[in-house]
Amino acid sequence: MITALDDQLGRIVAALEKKKLRQNTLILFASDNGGATSGLFASGSKSKEERESEVGGIEQGAKAPASNGRLRGGKGGLYEGGVRVPAFANWPGKLKPAVVNEPCTWWISCLRC
C-alpha cells in the first residue's frame, strides 16, 4: 500500500508542478489508525465457527496481519499502537523541513506556520 500511495502522490505532485501550483499547495498526510493486529480488523466479519477457532481474531498459530513495533495495541484500540501514526506536511517555501516528536491533535498547531 505504501508503494501505491507513493506512486499516486508522485502523480499529484507532477500535475501540480505542471500547472505551476506546487508552491501554493500544502500537502498533508496522516493515517487514521495503527496497523491491524487483530484478524477481525484485517479480514472483516466471520462466521461464529471461524471466530471460535481463532485467538484475538487470528487463526491459531497465524502471524498478526501488521506490526506496530514496540507500541502496545493496534487498529481499533486506544493504546499507542492504535493512535500513534506517521504523518507529514509539505509546503515548499512555507514550511522548513523538521521532525516533530510530540503528539499532534490538530495539524495547524503542528505546522507552526
Side-chain angles (χ1 to χ4, degrees), residues 7-99:
D7 291 345
Q8 298 309 313
L9 186 55
R11 291 179 64 202
I12 292 168
V13 169
L16 290 167
E17 287 173 350
K18 185 177 179 181
K19 294 185 180 269
K20 306 221 185 296
L21 296 172
R22 183 66 189 97
Q23 297 292 60
N24 296 325
T25 304
L26 170 63
I27 296 175
L28 298 174
F29 173 81
S31 178
D32 63 340
N33 53 254
T37 55
S38 165
L40 294 174
F41 288 112
S43 60
S45 61
K46 298 181 178 187
S47 70
K48 180 180 179 189
E49 292 79 20
E50 288 173 311
R51 288 192 310 272
E52 288 173 351
S53 70
E54 299 175 345
V55 176
I58 302 171
E59 291 180 29
Q60 294 183 15
K63 185 178 176 186
S67 169
N68 294 306
R70 300 175 303 189
L71 303 178
R72 179 170 56 160
K75 180 176 182 173
L78 296 178
Y79 291 119
E80 273 194 316
V83 297
R84 186 173 169 183
V85 297
F88 72 79
N90 179 268
W91 195 0
K94 300 284 185 178
L95 295 177
K96 294 178 182 171
V99 174

